[in-house]
Amino acid sequence: MQHRIIVLGAGYSGAIAAGRLAKRLHREEVAVTLANAEPDFVERVRMHQLATGQDLKPRPLSEMFAGTGVLLKLATVTGVDVDRKTVTVDGGAEELEYDTLVYALGSGWDAQGVPGTAEHAYELASRAGALRLRERLTQLDAGQTVTVVGGGLTGLEAATEIADARPDLDIALAVRGGLGDWLSPKGRRHLRKVVGKLGITVHERAAVTGVEADHVTTADGTTIPAAVTVWTAGFAVHPIVAATALEVTDTGRIVVDATMRSVSHPDVYAIGDAAFAMGAKNKPLRMSCASGQPMAWQAADSIVALLTGGKLPHAPLFYFNQCISLGRTEGLIQYVTTDDRAVNAALTGRFAAVYKELICKGAAWHVANPMLGMPTRRRHVAVGVHEWTT
């Protein structure tokens, strides 16, 4: 009887995990199913580019997993029952049974309960959201204002990309704290230089408390014009997990151990944005591609080790840099400590833009090449493997 592994979500984490599992285990002994709502791999780190009219390279999952042994299931996950070990898709149209589950459904935008956000704001956490924003931007006349809410990596990339692509528009950026206040002094100086050159109006210490069709309002009562509001103030995991018996944080992320295994259900692994995992110096990993890819490697290799009787991996999960595109010709590479705190070193300018582009291309390449081009030896499942999944 085959050991049934179901991976939910084909983002950076899920796609890598599915491919790595399929390449390391014998197909006649282990069935790997990858469930995803879309037929293509979405380069989420490029959604700001898609929104400004750039066409991204198509990456069909059917081609990516052709010949790997991964069974691609195009369906929307609508329920998970960790007690019965089943996954429901397409609103109950089908139920899938698993022995091991890898949860990698990622995250979406977080309106944070701010009135008017869901009705009036645009998001960049999905391809559908980016395409919706793309269409809206084409309808704007010169001089109209686009206000980006959120000063994190997504907000900075969105504001500068739109300003670079549409110099005829007025771009505003509302940030809760100071602009790039987590960056090194060199990083902050370069960010302010680029933002100034692009003509972006920055509203610092401006927590947005309301969104209307033509403006946003901040906590101190300031009104900022906005023909379009782009909301990038954080991400939230899918509420589907909250309905399960899995142990989760107060924000709904699945609590996992160092091998990405659920601390409450040993037959469930969680990776990517949906997982709450600890990194260097016992600091939680942030939601990002930089976290998701090594989490996928860790989970896949841990599952292989348990199935085949091998040694569990304990690879450290840490950060090296933060890569920020600031339009098509400018960038900022902020080097960080292993626990993601900025150090004095940073790359800036055109070289940093090229560096960031290579990082994005490398991330997509890793998805299609989960073993990083290294030769792979498939391993046999050990006798009695089902004992640890009961």
Side-chain angles (χ1 to χ4, degrees), residues 79-306:
V80 177
D81 189 327
V82 293
D83 295 320
R84 295 179 55 239
K85 296 187 181 181
T86 59
V87 173
T88 303
V89 298
D90 295 337
E94 188 176 359
E95 190 174 76
L96 311 176
E97 296 181 342
Y98 67 82
D99 296 305
T100 299
L101 180 69
V102 181
Y103 189 100
L105 288 179
S107 64
W109 70 313
D110 185 3
Q112 298 182 349
V114 174
T117 303
E119 295 83 2
H120 302 298
Y122 291 77
E123 53 95 358
L124 284 171
S126 66
R127 179 161 58 180
L131 289 174
R132 179 170 169 261
L133 174 58
R134 176 179 178 144
E135 176 63 23
R136 181 69 181 100
L137 291 176
T138 64
Q139 300 168 359
L140 297 183
D141 296 324
Q144 289 189 281
T145 300
V146 175
T147 296
V148 178
V149 179
L153 303 186
T154 304
L156 295 180
E157 293 194 328
T160 53
E161 195 74 42
I162 296 171
D164 192 20
R166 291 291 304 272
D168 59 315
L169 299 175
D170 291 334
I171 311 301
L173 177 63
V175 301
R176 183 178 294 272
L179 180 64
D181 53 8
W182 76 93
L183 298 169
S184 66
K186 180 179 179 179
R188 290 195 298 272
R189 286 194 301 270
H190 184 69
L191 176 60
R192 289 188 180 276
K193 175 184 175 182
V194 174
V195 164
K197 183 174 67 174
L198 290 172
I200 298 172
T201 301
V202 180
H203 301 270
E204 298 183 84
R205 295 165 190 84
V208 172
T209 55
V211 179
E212 299 293 341
D214 60 355
H215 70 274
V216 302
T217 304
T218 64
D220 63 2
T222 300
T223 297
I224 304 173
V228 171
T229 297
V230 183
W231 190 269
T232 68
F235 303 109
V237 299
H238 197 289
I240 195 172
V241 173
T244 72
L246 290 166
E247 182 173 334
V248 298
T249 66
D250 56 1
T251 59
R253 299 173 74 185
I254 301 169
V255 182
V256 298
D257 63 16
T259 67
M260 305 301 116
R261 197 178 193 181
S262 164
V263 298
S264 62
H265 290 72
D267 45 24
V268 177
Y269 288 74
I271 52 180
D273 291 357
F276 183 80
M278 306 306 289
K281 300 181 181 178
N282 208 35
K283 183 177 178 180
L285 297 174
R286 59 181 165 89
M287 293 182 177
S288 66
C289 177
S291 304
Q293 291 195 341
M295 291 169 79
W297 299 331
Q298 183 81 321
D301 291 353
S302 296
I303 293 170
V304 170
L306 285 170

Side-chain angles (χ1 to χ4, degrees), residues 1 16 28 53 72 81 113 134 136 163 176 187 196 204 242 244 277 281 292 294 316 336 346 367-368 370-371 390:
M1 180 178 177
I16 287 176
E28 65 273 16
L72 183 61
D81 189 327
R134 176 179 178 144
R136 181 69 181 100
R176 183 178 294 272
E204 298 183 84
T244 72
K281 300 181 181 178
V336 297
V367 171
M371 298 305 298
T390 58

Side-chain angles (χ1 to χ4, degrees), residues 10-12 15 36 38-44 57-61 64 127 363-364 367:
Y12 290 97
N36 197 61
E38 296 193 56
D40 299 322
F41 170 70
V42 177
E43 291 185 85
R44 185 167 171 176
K57 178 182 177 181
R59 299 182 184 277
L61 292 171
M64 185 177 296
R127 179 161 58 180
V367 171

Side-chain angles (χ1 to χ4, degrees), residues 19-42:
R20 197 170 178 94
L21 286 164
K23 285 182 176 295
R24 297 200 62 194
L25 296 165
H26 282 274
R27 299 179 190 177
E28 65 273 16
E29 298 173 349
V30 177
V32 179
T33 300
L34 176 61
N36 197 61
E38 296 193 56
D40 299 322
F41 170 70
V42 177

Side-chain angles (χ1 to χ4, degrees), residues 300-323:
D301 291 353
S302 296
I303 293 170
V304 170
L306 285 170
L307 286 175
T308 63
K311 183 179 179 181
L312 280 174
H314 290 286
L317 301 176
F318 61 89
Y319 297 101
F320 176 64
N321 57 29
Q322 294 180 9
C323 303

Side-chain angles (χ1 to χ4, degrees), residues 205 309 320 328 343 386:
R205 295 165 190 84
F320 176 64
R328 289 299 85 206
V343 298
H386 287 278

